[in-house]
Amino acid sequence: MPAFDLLICDCDGVLVDSEIISHRVLFDALTRYVPAETLEPLLKDTFGLTVPVILEQIEREFGLGIPASFDDDLRAESEARVKAEVEPIPGAREALLAIDLPLAVASNSRRHNVLSSLERAGLTERVAGNLFSADMVTHPKPAPDVYLLAAERMGMAPSRCLVVEDSTTGATAALAAGMTVLGFTGASHIQPGHDRILKALGVRDTFDDMARLPALVAELRG
């Protein structure tokens, strides 16, 4: 029997190259409160986290009280920019169409944003409504909740799920759920050495070209 019954992909940074856009919007907004040269290293490792978690870290680090309206204003701007500018990860659609496993998406974004990104990537039909987002669980990534929800709703044991993630946040979540993880390092926000960081967390393998994914999945299925 194949080793896996379900493929689960993150969305931002795996299916669409959106993380870099959201990061720029967040960075620009936060420079109203924190000097840019101080902010940059603090945000370096926040890819994959939700905005409220990032804001909590910034407030704690600098003793700030960022206005309650900041999150809503930022979310609106970020969503508009991503919707207008985001591009699919090259080869993602073709790779996922070539893999004969059921596909789900588990994201730290809100459901309507993931739907928009899937449409942009040409993957709406392939995902077939199997979409699980941060607003469907109490605790977003790095907690395993959204991955466990995906497995439960799809009727799969976590150990039979293969995940594609780009961030340490997402990889931590999927590994905590008891799933096998492949780390994708081909998005534009990924820094040199990120593959080593993901492998240190326990991901099975890393790759930077979506054209390699079908062969990696076939190899793992045996």
Side-chain angles (χ1 to χ4, degrees):
M1 291 181 64
F4 301 102
D5 300 315
L6 176 65
L7 178 65
I8 309 177
C9 289
D10 180 36
C11 183
D12 300 298
V14 172
L15 305 181
V16 292
D17 203 4
S18 53
E19 289 281 18
I20 195 69
I21 300 171
S22 300
H23 184 80
R24 287 183 191 132
V25 174
L26 176 62
F27 182 86
D28 290 345
L30 283 174
T31 54
R32 286 177 273 171
Y33 304 94
V34 180
E37 62 273 13
T38 305
L39 184 62
E40 190 164 2
L42 290 175
L43 291 184
K44 178 170 62 73
D45 298 320
T46 59
F47 288 107
L49 294 176
T50 61
V51 170
V53 170
I54 296 172
L55 293 183
E56 182 181 341
Q57 292 179 0
I58 296 295
E59 287 181 316
R60 186 170 58 248
E61 179 73 22
F62 294 98
L64 295 173
I66 296 175
S69 61
F70 181 93
D71 189 17
D72 288 341
D73 293 343
L74 178 75
R75 194 188 300 274
E77 182 178 356
S78 181
E79 289 178 359
R81 287 273 301 275
V82 168
K83 187 173 183 179
E85 300 174 20
V86 75
E87 295 293 335
I89 293 292
R93 182 176 185 275
E94 293 78 8
L96 293 172
L97 289 176
I99 297 170
D100 64 343
L101 282 173
L103 175 66
V105 170
S107 173
N108 250 10
S109 292
R110 295 193 295 177
R111 184 177 180 84
H112 68 276
N113 295 321
V114 183
L115 286 168
S116 176
S117 292
L118 290 177
E119 183 176 356
R120 189 79 174 227
L123 287 165
T124 302
E125 186 174 347
R126 175 69 173 93
V127 174
N130 301 320
L131 190 167
F132 306 93
S133 53
D135 46 347
M136 297 173 69
V137 294
T138 303
H139 303 292
K141 304 173 190 178
D145 300 30
V146 71
Y147 278 112
L148 292 173
L149 177 65
E152 178 187 354
R153 294 278 182 90
M154 298 290 290
M156 305 291 183
S159 62
R160 307 287 291 184
C161 298
L162 178 63
V163 172
V164 181
E165 267 286 359
D166 65 305
S167 69
T168 57
T169 302
T172 298
L175 291 166
M179 300 178 180
T180 298
V181 182
L182 293 173
F184 177 65
T185 61
S188 60
H189 68 284
I190 299 296
Q191 298 296 310
H194 189 62
D195 56 338
R196 294 191 297 273
I197 294 171
L198 291 175
K199 286 179 180 177
L201 283 177
V203 306
R204 186 69 168 268
D205 203 351
T206 61
F207 65 106
D208 61 5
D209 183 352
M210 275 292 170
R212 291 187 56 209
L213 183 58
L216 286 171
V217 173
E219 180 182 340
L220 288 172
R221 294 177 75 184

